[in-house]
Amino acid sequence: MRYGLVGASGRMGQEIQKAFAEHTLCLTVDINGETCDDTPQVIVDFSNRMALPRTIELCRLHRAGLVVGTTAIVQEDIELLRKLGEEVPVVQSFNFSVGVNILKMVLRQFAPYLEDWDLEICETHHNKKKDAPSGTAILMREVTGRNCPTHSLRMGGVPGDHSAFFANEGEVLEFTHRALSRSVFALGAYRAAQFVVNAEPGFYSFEEVIACAPRKSSSL
Amino acid sequence: MRYGLVGASGRMGQEIQKAFAEHTLCLTVDINGETCDDTPQVIVDFSNRMALPRTIELCRLHRAGLVVGTTAIVQEDIELLRKLGEEVPVVQSFNFSVGVNILKMVLRQFAPYLEDWDLEICETHHNKKKDAPSGTAILMREVTGRNCPTHSLRMGGVPGDHSAFFANEGEVLEFTHRALSRSVFALGAYRAAQFVVNAEPGFYSFEEVIACAPRKSSSL
Amino acid sequence: MRYGLVGASGRMGQEIQKAFAEHTLCLTVDINGETCDDTPQVIVDFSNRMALPRTIELCRLHRAGLVVGTTAIVQEDIELLRKLGEEVPVVQSFNFSVGVNILKMVLRQFAPYLEDWDLEICETHHNKKKDAPSGTAILMREVTGRNCPTHSLRMGGVPGDHSAFFANEGEVLEFTHRALSRSVFALGAYRAAQFVVNAEPGFYSFEEVIACAPRKSSSL
Amino acid sequence: MRYGLVGASGRMGQEIQKAFAEHTLCLTVDINGETCDDTPQVIVDFSNRMALPRTIELCRLHRAGLVVGTTAIVQEDIELLRKLGEEVPVVQSFNFSVGVNILKMVLRQFAPYLEDWDLEICETHHNKKKDAPSGTAILMREVTGRNCPTHSLRMGGVPGDHSAFFANEGEVLEFTHRALSRSVFALGAYRAAQFVVNAEPGFYSFEEVIACAPRKSSSL
């Protein structure tokens, strides 16, 4: 796969280069300027919304798909991305963790079958994290449609654990996600890029990417 | 709900009477004979396959639905139950644990999205259990379609824990079921009976029962 | 071992008889009266403080040791038991769970080495339990000497889980106790009875019993 | 604290500099040579045994204590370190994880009280790890004195989890350690350095360091 990278020198840009190590970085955009050695099949942008207009321009220019994980984008940006999706495949999400997205899908689909069970959510994060409960825990509550008790532990350097516990008189079901490192989002971006290279034009969520069977690198 | 119970005096019969405590037991079948005070809406049979012909006869007689959890039944019995399903609703399963069935459904549906993650299964049971891995662990492996490493712990009086762990470089997903007591199956039978009372004739699996939103007792 | 049992017909009395099944019940005290077939080596009393004077009398009469788990006893009763301890071995505790007592001992001894780690406690009990945090969680906090965040989950039929989590920037330590059933306290009483049969006169805590290597039944 | 660092430019050297960030690095030894700006109070060496003679020389020269975590050292090296311990405090260990050492201490002390409980050990590591069970799991078995079943999971990027489970008929005790990152050993080295700065000459294990209440940085 030949890919382009917006924000190549940032922390997230470094993580992405590690996750895409077996592939060819042929276009970079950065505060210091641009490089372009070849035509990318997909452009990855986890930088900031200021960069977005140029990113969209480059996708059009190279007819490259787009994976965009910029977190501060607004409705107006989404509209521009939808429009780009008419020409090339675009994957947009605020959270590129495969595990968190699957946890969300499991809870959305199965919580209705467990309505007569008790439900509580626990999340643990490092002690530098200010907000509680975490954004992901709030999302978990939202997809279950239940305003259940939620416990937030703030301890040491824990990257981030989330659990939903369902229990009735005779049994307990536990659905847990644990982040191991910051490489999570870069690995998700990689999965999205694999998807984009073979997809029809369109505007896709990361859940839609996951719901396609994973493709092997060799098939790209 | 008015219900009948085959094998009323056995251990499982006792558990079922506890789980159905708010409802009216109006028909019993046992080695010592039968009692019948009223027309049951549903008959519950977790006894043994010898009792099955009479159970089926009683369902026809009273136009009562059937919940059957007898574990030793064979294909020939299944055929008889299917035929009964043309007249009344019949729920048949070898495992009436809601949690184990949901775990199975989650794994069947989401394991394909996690093909490039490692998968291992752990199960823990009391030290009297002879077989390893447990039947449920084998079933978990089957629905994932992956012959993954499976670890069996045999310790003290643990009723039964089952976990599937998926991991990639950056994250871990854990799906765990824990049985708390032997009331599990009786509670599942209760859920199936609630379903039967309102269902159209048919031959149903317990997964189909679960996939219907749970009904409140009051609506029966 | 020949043992006596005060409150033989109560729920706890039944559990104790199960845990002592291989031994000889030769004396019973109950609201309905007393029976005595032989001289007990130890008397077990988990009933109520009204029974205590007669229990003490019987210990003196038979020169039998005592295991007493009555929860509502007061300082005045303790004094009577101390006095009895001058003649026979007496084990008194408010909690005869081996696991909970070991958890307490581990935390008391090792929490001081983890003063610069974060500490949080989680406990989960069935949804019928009114008080939160549980008495055991409060005890765990007391032995660590730290007023740490404590999370109480109330779910389904969970008999009782308690966890202490310590974390620093790079690692997590978890100490967890899980009750499986109500037989816990009867098994602890059995361990105490084994101790009493071989012990010198004295007034012992259950921690002191645990701190002796467990004796095999055969040696009694 | 003024400290010296042998192997300053290596991966472990980098981690140590992060963990000691608030303190003054005043001496470095590396393949490229040595620097020395001031007299160190303690020298830290996690490099390789080739460096050890010069490290010992420098400790003598500066009357500095030593924290040595080099893993390939042999009995002959230990003798040299013991001799150095007659002049300055020396802490030597093959594993500077506080958590793993506490887990070991807990198991060594409490396993004898749980002889009549079942015991099984589980450990999980990333899928690049070749050996199973892990060295730490083998150590856990050794300190319990029981050759118990041991389960090794090899999954994704898990840095390293170790659990000991004890169970009897009515309860379960779990002691778990989880490594979050490679900073673990550097943090342990920091704790050892804090100890050394205030200790009498001697040859100490890391367990002995832990068994002293942690000192606050301010007291150094």
Side-chain angles (χ1 to χ4, degrees), chain A residues 34-45:
Chain A
E34 297 184 17
T35 68
C36 184
D37 307 328
D38 202 342
T39 307
Q41 296 165 280
V42 56
I43 293 177
V44 180
D45 184 355

Side-chain angles (χ1 to χ4, degrees), chain C residues 13-83:
Chain C
Q14 300 293 315
E15 291 285 352
I16 285 167
Q17 290 185 52
K18 260 192 266 174
F20 285 67
E22 295 173 24
H23 300 273
T24 309
L25 176 60
C26 63
L27 176 152
T28 68
V29 179
D30 230 319
I31 32 168
N32 303 315
E34 297 184 18
T35 69
C36 182
D37 307 327
D38 203 343
T39 306
Q41 298 165 278
V42 56
I43 294 179
V44 181
D45 183 354
F46 277 69
S47 62
N48 64 69
R49 66 176 296 254
M50 291 307 122
L52 203 58
R54 178 61 182 155
T55 297
I56 289 171
E57 210 168 57
L58 286 166
C59 288
R60 283 216 172 85
L61 184 66
H62 296 289
R63 302 212 55 75
L66 175 61
V67 175
V68 58
T70 306
T71 50
I73 64 174
V74 298
Q75 194 52 39
E76 187 191 324
D77 304 318
I78 298 277
E79 291 315 315
L80 293 175
L81 291 168
R82 274 188 193 285
K83 215 158 153 52

Side-chain angles (χ1 to χ4, degrees), chain C:
Chain C
M1 173 168 46
R2 296 180 312 278
Y3 74 103
L5 182 53
V6 181
S9 63
R11 202 182 57 73
M12 192 61 197
Q14 300 293 315
E15 291 285 352
I16 285 167
Q17 290 185 52
K18 260 192 266 174
F20 285 67
E22 295 173 24
H23 300 273
T24 309
L25 176 60
C26 63
L27 176 152
T28 68
V29 179
D30 230 319
I31 32 168
N32 303 315
E34 297 184 18
T35 69
C36 182
D37 307 327
D38 203 343
T39 306
Q41 298 165 278
V42 56
I43 294 179
V44 181
D45 183 354
F46 277 69
S47 62
N48 64 69
R49 66 176 296 254
M50 291 307 122
L52 203 58
R54 178 61 182 155
T55 297
I56 289 171
E57 210 168 57
L58 286 166
C59 288
R60 283 216 172 85
L61 184 66
H62 296 289
R63 302 212 55 75
L66 175 61
V67 175
V68 58
T70 306
T71 50
I73 64 174
V74 298
Q75 194 52 39
E76 187 191 324
D77 304 318
I78 298 277
E79 291 315 315
L80 293 175
L81 291 168
R82 274 188 193 285
K83 215 158 153 52
L84 178 64
E86 292 166 14
E87 299 165 52
V88 295
V90 173
V91 177
Q92 185 274 329
S93 174
F94 294 109
N95 187 329
F96 272 87
S97 152
V98 174
V100 163
N101 278 277
I102 285 184
L103 185 58
K104 247 169 56 189
M105 286 190 270
V106 168
L107 293 177
R108 186 186 298 120
Q109 183 174 342
F110 290 95
Y113 304 164
L114 296 163
E115 263 176 29
D116 52 345
W117 294 42
D118 296 320
L119 165 63
E120 304 211 8
I121 288 171
C122 279
E123 53 97 352
T124 306
H125 282 88
H126 52 86
N127 53 26
K128 305 285 188 305
K129 188 173 176 67
K130 291 291 183 341
D131 57 315
S134 68
T136 298
I138 292 170
L139 223 61
M140 288 165 69
R141 247 171 17 192
E142 277 174 15
V143 297
T144 62
R146 293 171 61 173
N147 189 17
C148 65
T150 305
H151 307 270
S152 297
L153 286 74
R154 293 291 170 264
M155 307 192 68
V158 177
D161 301 346
H162 290 90
S163 295
F165 296 96
F166 294 88
N168 74 358
E169 196 53 38
E171 39 189 339
V172 178
L173 272 173
E174 172 186 349
F175 303 111
T176 289
H177 177 262
R178 193 202 299 183
L180 298 174
S181 77
R182 290 173 164 161
S183 66
V184 170
F185 304 117
L187 288 165
Y190 178 64
R191 185 154 174 167
Q194 288 180 298
F195 169 89
V196 154
V197 167
N198 292 298
E200 296 298 308
F203 182 75
Y204 302 95
S205 72
F206 190 50
E207 285 194 18
E208 288 172 286
V209 172
I210 292 170
C212 295
R215 291 182 184 76
K216 300 290 176 294
S217 324
S218 55
S219 72
L220 296 184

Side-chain angles (χ1 to χ4, degrees), chain A residues 65-103:
Chain A
L66 175 61
V67 174
V68 57
T70 307
T71 50
I73 65 174
V74 296
Q75 195 51 38
E76 188 189 325
D77 304 318
I78 298 277
E79 290 315 314
L80 294 175
L81 291 168
R82 274 188 193 284
K83 216 157 155 44
L84 178 64
E86 292 168 14
E87 298 165 52
V88 296
V90 173
V91 178
Q92 186 274 327
S93 174
F94 293 109
N95 187 328
F96 272 87
S97 151
V98 173
V100 163
N101 277 276
I102 284 184
L103 185 59

